[in-house]
Amino acid sequence: MAKQIGILTAGGDSPGLNAAIRGVGKAAIHKYGMNVIGFKDGFRGLMQNRFVRLTPEELSGILTKGGTILGAGRDKPHRMDVGGSVMDMTDLMVEHFGDHQLDALVCIGGGGTQKNAFRLAEKGLPIVTLPKTIDNDVWGTDTTFGFDTALGIATEAIDRLHSTAHAHHRIVVVEIMGHNTGWLALGAGLAGGADVILIPEVAYDIDVVAESILKRRAAGSTFSIVAVSEGAHTGETRGEVEYPSLDHIAGEGAAAMVAELAELRAALRGSTGRLSQALEEMTGLEARVTILGHVQRGGTPSPEDRLLATILGTAAADVVEAGISGVMVGVRNGEAATVPLEEVAGKRKTVPLDHPWLATARSLGISLGDRGEE
Ligand code: F6P
């Protein structure tokens, strides 16, 4: 009998999500004759049983589109905001999965989604996940779709900032997303020729950054581009936001804590502005800030992301047909490979300190804000 599968996209959106939905859906329908539905807005749609039937028509013409036709959301199944109260809604989700007589649920998302999907797998649901995020920080996969597109956008932004920084003899500090990892800032910084690259994995010293800019100045360069990851920090004022588990709190307490965390996050967001101001004061050079923000997540996916999302999406349909679940379909050496969800959930892939990109940056004389290069 033909299998029934559900798909949802959770977490922040990223380029390539539609390509992945299309890959899973088309392969499921054309290769295996499966019936496919999509839940709206991530886990919330599963909880509320809001879904659409994904027919070949629905899956057509979406390959190049940004965002997700299903909608996304950062809800966690075990901590859903339901009418102002925070509740564990996993059982209702399991019930809705059963109502549709699904054989598998394909959850497409980043690190948080892998964790949330694993929770549903622990409840007995046959789950298959795919890794997407512009941050490239999902454990157990060489890369994630969304990353390449964002890398292109951030690199182009740095390219454009060069000419204006040069014209005004300024320091331009460009903040790049990446959550608590530096893949995006390091990759774009290298590809765009930034003079300083600051990432969360390497704590920076503001004196070292200022010195490197003054050294450039003394050597005749009248401008500098500082590519800073949103999670970069000085060590003492560690930027990393380790969100405490709110699992044990419900109702108003949780809401207050979430509000406090949002404030903390907002304060951290201002840190790039403070970095720029400090550099201006310490070097005597004019500085400006550019925060790339969600521009990095929008628009058409790059060919590489379309390809990756399509390869992994179709592989997910094969995995479902084979009756395998509790796995993420990631990529290893250019090929789709399954990794047990329990190995992926709760881990983050940071930039290793011996990564060749870091060595390359140091060889070029790019300052990473530490004294490592001296
Ligand atoms: O995880 C993707 C990402 O864009 C991160 O780089 C960033 O820190 C975060 O999402 C922003 O989330 P939101 O869109 O919820 O503000």
Side-chain angles (χ1 to χ4, degrees), residues 12-13 74 132-135 177-179 230 265 269 294 297:
D13 72 323
R74 291 206 183 272
K132 72 83 214 165
T133 166
I134 64 164
D135 304 338
M177 275 187 170
H179 197 211
E230 62 180 351
R265 220 171 169 201
R269 280 207 181 114
H294 291 81
R297 291 214 319 234

Side-chain angles (χ1 to χ4, degrees), residues 123-188:
K123 287 266 177 181
L125 294 193
I127 302 282
V128 173
T129 66
L130 291 176
K132 72 83 214 165
T133 166
I134 64 164
D135 304 338
N136 190 31
D137 62 350
V138 177
W139 181 268
T141 181
D142 289 352
T143 188
T144 55
F145 50 86
F147 176 64
D148 183 69
T149 308
L151 187 61
I153 296 168
T155 301
E156 196 202 326
I158 295 176
D159 291 349
R160 288 178 184 275
L161 289 168
H162 264 94
S163 55
T164 175
H166 178 263
H168 287 270
H169 314 298
R170 281 174 175 156
I171 300 168
V172 172
V173 181
V174 51
E175 184 187 285
I176 297 168
M177 275 187 170
H179 197 211
N180 289 320
T181 61
W183 295 105
L184 201 49
L186 180 58

Side-chain angles (χ1 to χ4, degrees), residues 283-366:
T283 62
L285 300 168
E286 208 179 9
R288 291 286 187 272
V289 175
T290 297
I291 295 181
L292 298 183
H294 291 81
V295 158
Q296 294 159 105
R297 291 214 319 234
T300 304
S302 67
E304 195 166 321
D305 276 339
R306 291 181 211 178
L307 201 54
L308 181 62
T310 303
I311 290 168
L312 298 189
T314 53
D318 294 339
V319 165
V320 170
E321 177 62 16
I324 299 166
S325 66
V327 295
M328 175 181 81
V329 183
V331 59
R332 282 278 161 85
N333 303 319
E335 281 185 33
T338 55
V339 195
L341 261 183
E342 60 185 336
E343 277 179 29
V344 177
K347 292 198 196 126
R348 181 187 302 145
K349 185 183 72 182
T350 54
V351 179
L353 292 180
D354 60 354
H355 195 277
W357 288 3
L358 286 173
T360 302
R362 292 195 199 278
S363 301
L364 288 172
I366 294 171

Side-chain angles (χ1 to χ4, degrees), residues 22-280:
R22 172 181 174 273
V24 178
K26 284 202 166 188
I29 295 168
H30 294 296
K31 201 169 169 190
Y32 301 115
M34 296 180 192
N35 294 308
V36 187
I37 61 170
F39 291 100
K40 305 287 268 183
D41 304 330
F43 293 105
R44 185 158 291 269
L46 179 59
M47 177 186 83
Q48 297 172 333
N49 201 19
R50 285 188 293 117
F51 66 97
V52 282
R53 198 149 291 286
L54 293 175
T55 61
E57 293 70 40
E58 291 284 340
L59 295 166
S60 179
I62 63 171
L63 176 63
T64 59
K65 283 195 177 144
T68 158
I69 57 163
L70 294 176
R74 291 206 183 272
D75 294 301
K76 297 175 171 65
H78 68 295
R79 272 208 308 112
M80 299 290 290
D81 182 337
V82 186
S85 296
V86 178
M87 292 165 73
D88 183 346
M89 301 305 282
T90 40
D91 288 344
L92 187 58
M93 294 185 198
V94 171
E95 199 179 309
H96 290 153
F97 179 94
D99 290 346
H100 290 284
Q101 299 184 324
L102 295 176
D103 292 289
L105 179 66
V106 179
C107 301
I108 311 176
T113 301
Q114 307 300 327
K115 213 168 19 175
N116 290 323
F118 180 55
R119 284 200 179 95
L120 292 179
E122 283 182 313
K123 287 266 177 181
L125 294 193
I127 302 282
V128 173
T129 66
L130 291 176
K132 72 83 214 165
T133 166
I134 64 164
D135 304 338
N136 190 31
D137 62 350
V138 177
W139 181 268
T141 181
D142 289 352
T143 188
T144 55
F145 50 86
F147 176 64
D148 183 69
T149 308
L151 187 61
I153 296 168
T155 301
E156 196 202 326
I158 295 176
D159 291 349
R160 288 178 184 275
L161 289 168
H162 264 94
S163 55
T164 175
H166 178 263
H168 287 270
H169 314 298
R170 281 174 175 156
I171 300 168
V172 172
V173 181
V174 51
E175 184 187 285
I176 297 168
M177 275 187 170
H179 197 211
N180 289 320
T181 61
W183 295 105
L184 201 49
L186 180 58
L190 272 176
D195 307 298
V196 178
I197 303 176
L198 306 178
I199 63 171
E201 290 85 346
V202 181
Y204 72 85
D205 177 338
I206 185 93
D207 292 333
V208 174
V209 178
E211 278 164 28
S212 76
I213 291 170
L214 287 173
K215 216 152 102 189
R216 272 176 57 76
R217 176 76 179 193
S221 300
T222 60
F223 73 95
S224 286
I225 303 283
V226 180
V228 55
S229 179
E230 62 180 351
H233 60 92
T234 58
E236 308 98 61
T237 56
R238 187 157 173 72
E240 174 155 352
V241 192
E242 274 306 344
Y243 296 102
S245 165
L246 303 179
D247 295 2
H248 57 294
I249 307 172
E252 273 174 32
M257 204 152 177
V258 168
E260 226 172 87
L261 285 169
E263 248 174 60
L264 176 64
R265 220 171 169 201
L268 284 170
R269 280 207 181 114
S271 64
T272 301
R274 287 197 293 278
L275 168 66
S276 165
Q277 208 179 338
L279 288 177
E280 192 166 83

